[in-house]
Amino acid sequence: MSGTPDSLVVDQVTRDYPTAGEPLRVLRGVSLRMTPGDRVAVVGPSGSGKSTLLNILGTLDRPTTGSVRLGATDPFALGARELAAFRASRIGFVFQEHHLLGQCTALENVLLAPLARGRVDDAARNRAAALLERVGLTDRAGHLPSELSGGERQRVAIVRALMNEPSLLLADEPTGNLDAQSGRRVGDLFLELARESGAILVVVTHSAALAEQVGRSLRLEGGVLTDGTQ
Ligand code: ADP
Ligand code: MG
């Protein structure tokens, strides 16, 4: 049920956090334009606002000023229910922490994505099984997160993010908690599946290897995004 592919247009986004004194201005006018299949790595020092930016792109946080548009939709003009439905169907997230539910199996965690859109049908079950197979977890589908390695948990989180065929795939340090070897494998798999999905990909990373594989890097520093590919 995918319609016209969505472009992402971010225009002059600022984000202030209130403090006891002057507001802390974390983002100072971030603009970005991406079309389906585009990918970018966002790099920058700790505390420079990378997670803040990603959360705004993912509609988990709102800009103080400026706008974000995905396809024809301004998500921040939607009511709470519409926004939740929009996020569930159009955006996929992979965080540094896997954020899997501890009491649900790998398969059940993956099926939470279609459930958030309202239903789990045979097509969703087949897609979940196929994606779990792609990431080599067919025989781990019935395991709880506590019974999986860190790399396996991130692979489940990647499958969950891709389940609903999102237009926009966001990842915040997806390999940040993994050792170098596992991080490399998970990063490769993630980029491969992201590419196949055709989604716009924005990945925040400290990994030079992952950023290089993504191809295009933007640096967030001093609240602005600059071209980081030298
Ligand atoms: P990064 O992901 O690049 O490390 P963050 O986006 O997490 O950076 O944070 C950017 C800055 O905003 C930091 O100085 C952080 O302390 C501050 N910050 C983040 N979230 C909040 C919040 N909810 N309230 C106040 N300040 C915040
Ligand atoms: Mg961060």
Side-chain angles (χ1 to χ4, degrees), residues 17-18 24 26 45-53 172:
Y17 287 117
L24 175 67
V26 175
S46 181
S48 61
K50 302 182 298 295
S51 293
T52 300
L53 174 62
D172 195 349

Side-chain angles (χ1 to χ4, degrees), residues 217 219 226-230:
S217 289
R219 185 171 182 80
T226 52
D227 206 318
T229 319
Q230 304 294 336

Side-chain angles (χ1 to χ4, degrees), residues 9-49:
V9 180
V10 180
D11 191 34
Q12 288 298 321
V13 161
T14 71
R15 179 65 166 99
D16 295 347
Y17 287 117
T19 71
E22 287 284 293
L24 175 67
R25 176 146 287 195
V26 175
L27 302 179
R28 297 175 174 270
V30 168
S31 298
L32 182 64
R33 231 166 229 279
M34 298 179 75
T35 55
D38 284 352
R39 13 204 266 165
V40 69
V42 175
V43 300
S46 181
S48 61

Side-chain angles (χ1 to χ4, degrees), residues 4 6 19 45 75 83 103 113 116 152 175 178 200-201 207 221 229:
T4 317
D6 294 322
T19 71
L83 180 58
Q103 70 276 30
E152 288 169 341
T175 60
L178 305 177
I200 293 169
L201 173 67
S207 160
E221 195 159 13
T229 319

Side-chain angles (χ1 to χ4, degrees), residues 61-179:
D61 189 12
R62 284 172 186 265
T64 302
T65 63
S67 67
V68 174
R69 199 168 268 279
L70 187 61
T73 305
D74 170 0
F76 301 115
L78 301 174
R81 286 178 75 92
E82 290 85 356
L83 180 58
F86 172 86
R87 187 186 304 127
S89 62
R90 310 274 282 281
I91 302 175
F93 286 96
V94 181
F95 298 97
Q96 180 169 357
E97 291 290 333
H98 52 83
H99 291 295
L100 300 176
L101 295 185
Q103 70 276 30
C104 293
T105 65
L107 176 62
E108 287 165 349
N109 269 286
V110 166
L111 291 175
L112 287 174
L115 190 63
R117 295 174 66 180
R119 75 205 146 89
V120 175
D121 55 15
D122 283 347
R125 287 178 193 283
N126 292 338
R127 179 166 169 77
L131 282 170
L132 284 169
E133 185 173 12
R134 276 299 300 280
V135 302
L137 290 180
T138 299
D139 58 5
R140 296 285 188 279
H143 286 225
L144 297 174
S146 61
E147 300 164 342
L148 299 172
S149 71
E152 288 169 341
R153 285 195 285 261
Q154 278 308 69
R155 285 188 263 158
V156 176
I158 288 165
V159 169
R160 181 184 52 185
L162 289 164
M163 264 305 286
N164 290 345
E165 302 181 78
S167 316
L168 177 60
L169 192 53
L170 302 171
D172 195 349
E173 296 284 1
T175 60
N177 282 0
L178 305 177
D179 62 57

